[in-house]
Amino acid sequence: MPLDRARKVALEEEFCSLCNQQYHYRTDCQQLILITERWFFWCNSERGRYLTERAGQDADYAARLVEYEREQAKNRQRNEELRHRYDTAVEDENYKSRNCRHCPNCHRVVERMEGCESMICGQDYHGGNIQSGCGEEFTWDEAEQYQAATVRKSTETINDLPRPESPLITHENITCDGCHEIVRGIRFDCVHCPSLIFCEKCEQRYTLAHSNENRNAGQQQHVFRLIMTPFDEIQ
Ligand SMILES: [Zn+2]
Ligand SMILES: [Zn+2]
Ligand SMILES: [Zn+2]
Ligand SMILES: [Zn+2]
C-alpha cells in the first residue's frame, strides 16, 4: 500500500504523485474510480428515486424533490460532465493496466517505455511534465503489476442506499458545511477538496453550486464520496 503521496502543482491543478490524477483526499488511488462511478450513479439516477421515496414521509425531502425537478437542466449538464470524467478514468485505468507497473521502491505508477525492459521511476507515465518519481532503477519484470480497479457496467452498480423506512444514521462529530448541523443519513464528502462535507438534505443544492464554481474555474467536476455508515476519521 502506498504510504505517502506528494502533491505537485501544475497549471493551477494539483496532482497525486502516485496515480497522476487530480489530487484526492481521504481515499487511495485504487478506490477513486469506484467512488467516481458511485457518485455518477447517484447523480444520474438514484438521487431522484431516493428523494421521491423519502418525500412521502418528510416535508424537507418533498422540498428537495421540488428543487430536483426545478434543477433538471443543471443536473443533466453535470451528469454529462461526470460521465465524461468517469469514461476518461476508465480509459486511463485500462491504459495503465496495459502499460504501467508500480515502482518497487515508492509504489508510484510508472509507464513502460517503448520496447524497453529497464525502467526509471519518474520517467515517463503519460502525464508529461507532471511526472514525479524517486529515481529507482528497475526492470519491467521485477515490478509489481498495476492493480486495476474492477470496473462494473453501470447496470451492475450496487444499489446500497438506505431503505426509506429505515431511520437516518447519525455521523457523530461530522458537521455539514451547508446547514452546519451534525450529518444524518448519507454523508457526501468531496474527494477533491481538503474538507467539504454535506448531508443528504443539502448535497443537491451545494454540490451543484460546487460544480458551477469548478466549471467556471476551468476544472473538472469534483467527485463526492457517498458514505452510508459512520467510520473512524483517523486514517
Ligand atoms: Zn492518486
Ligand atoms: Zn519510485
Ligand atoms: Zn446539511
Ligand atoms: Zn471539491
Side-chain angles (χ1 to χ4, degrees):
M1 281 296 291
L3 294 176
D4 62 307
R5 298 179 292 147
R7 277 204 243 174
K8 281 213 125 193
V9 180
L11 305 169
E12 295 175 16
E13 273 211 66
E14 295 181 291
F15 288 86
C16 165
S17 63
L18 287 175
C19 66
N20 285 309
Q21 307 273 4
Q22 183 177 9
Y23 196 83
H24 49 92
Y25 298 84
R26 300 174 306 278
T27 172
D28 64 43
C29 308
Q30 252 47 47
Q31 285 298 313
L32 203 53
I33 196 162
L34 301 175
I35 292 170
T36 304
E37 179 194 50
R38 190 72 190 77
W39 171 235
F40 174 63
F41 185 46
W42 167 262
C43 288
N44 200 43
S45 56
E46 286 190 305
R47 180 187 284 114
R49 198 173 57 72
Y50 187 75
L51 291 177
T52 306
E53 285 179 349
R54 292 259 187 216
Q57 307 164 335
D58 184 320
D60 274 353
Y61 288 91
R64 295 304 171 271
L65 186 59
V66 171
E67 216 172 289
Y68 175 75
E69 303 292 343
R70 198 178 56 224
E71 301 293 19
Q72 270 194 9
K74 280 188 200 163
N75 277 317
R76 210 173 305 121
Q77 180 185 12
R78 173 166 65 181
N79 291 347
E80 279 163 26
E81 291 163 359
L82 276 176
R83 184 190 295 276
H84 177 73
R85 175 159 205 161
Y86 177 63
D87 288 347
T88 309
V90 172
E91 272 169 38
D92 192 67
E93 195 69 2
N94 291 337
Y95 182 90
K96 282 178 184 166
S97 49
R98 287 194 309 271
N99 301 295
C100 297
R101 291 207 169 172
H102 292 284
C103 166
N105 185 46
C106 72
H107 210 76
R108 283 184 176 87
V109 172
V110 184
E111 182 177 357
R112 184 174 197 172
M113 285 179 269
E114 197 79 36
C116 189
E117 204 30 49
S118 62
M119 321 261 296
I120 298 169
C121 177
Q123 285 180 20
D124 192 308
Y125 170 64
H126 73 312
N129 59 10
I130 62 164
Q131 171 81 4
S132 59
C134 70
E136 176 88 354
E137 295 182 32
F138 54 95
T139 64
W140 175 255
D141 278 345
E142 68 191 354
E144 190 192 333
Q145 293 248 321
Y146 179 73
Q147 299 141 5
T150 316
V151 178
R152 292 166 296 216
K153 294 194 189 85
S154 58
T155 48
E156 293 166 356
T157 302
I158 301 161
N159 185 352
D160 52 358
L161 295 179
R163 299 289 314 140
E165 61 275 12
S166 59
L168 298 179
I169 287 161
T170 301
H171 298 259
E172 302 291 347
N173 304 319
I174 304 297
T175 309
C176 170
D177 289 309
C179 62
H180 305 292
E181 297 192 4
I182 296 292
V183 173
R184 298 182 67 231
I186 308 168
R187 162 181 167 186
F188 294 81
D189 270 36
C190 183
V191 300
H192 294 114
C193 283
S195 179
L196 189 62
I197 299 173
F198 299 117
C199 71
E200 61 178 46
K201 287 184 181 176
C202 290
E203 68 84 21
Q204 172 172 239
R205 179 185 308 166
Y206 288 97
T207 64
L208 275 176
H210 195 48
S211 289
N212 219 26
E213 280 164 21
N214 291 325
R215 187 183 299 120
N216 292 340
Q219 278 199 30
Q220 290 193 84
Q221 284 297 328
H222 284 192
V223 171
F224 283 79
R225 178 179 179 186
L226 278 72
I227 300 170
M228 312 293 179
T229 43
F231 65 94
D232 195 352
E233 279 303 295
I234 304 152
Q235 293 189 38

